[in-house]
Amino acid sequence: MADEPNADIKAMSFEQALDALEKIVDDLERGDVPLDQSIRIYERGEALKSHCDRLLKSAEDKVEKIRLSREGKPVGVELLDGE
């Protein structure tokens, strides 16, 4: 976190970023955080949310739907959106 205060976020997994975001929400909801710190952690929360959105979109792009035969047996896969 040398130059950019949120540089570590790029290396986080979805689960790590979501946990950090949930902690920020909890801290802000408690209301006992000084204003300057609230602004900093809110900005970090925005960066975490963006990171989660990117990771989720990437995962959604890879999701495949299993095709079933008339008998209900798996016969292959296709992209979730049918592309």
Side-chain angles (χ1 to χ4, degrees):
M1 293 192 342
D3 295 331
E4 187 180 328
N6 296 323
D8 64 317
I9 292 174
K10 293 177 184 172
M12 289 183 175
S13 69
F14 178 82
E15 291 78 9
Q16 291 170 325
L18 190 58
D19 286 344
L21 185 55
E22 288 173 349
K23 182 179 179 336
I24 286 173
V25 170
D26 290 343
D27 289 347
L28 290 174
E29 285 180 343
R30 263 198 338 267
D32 60 354
V33 180
L35 181 60
D36 60 332
Q37 186 180 355
S38 291
I39 293 168
R40 275 196 312 279
I41 64 175
Y42 178 84
E43 290 170 347
R44 181 168 176 81
E46 284 292 317
L48 286 162
K49 180 189 172 298
S50 294
H51 182 64
C52 285
D53 287 344
R54 279 190 303 276
L55 292 174
L56 188 58
K57 174 70 174 123
S58 175
E60 286 173 345
D61 289 345
K62 296 175 185 173
V63 172
E64 295 178 326
K65 177 174 66 174
I66 298 172
R67 289 188 323 219
L68 301 177
S69 68
R70 290 181 185 212
E71 295 79 35
K73 300 200 188 287
V75 293
V77 295
E78 62 187 43
L79 291 177
L80 189 59
D81 294 331
E83 295 174 3

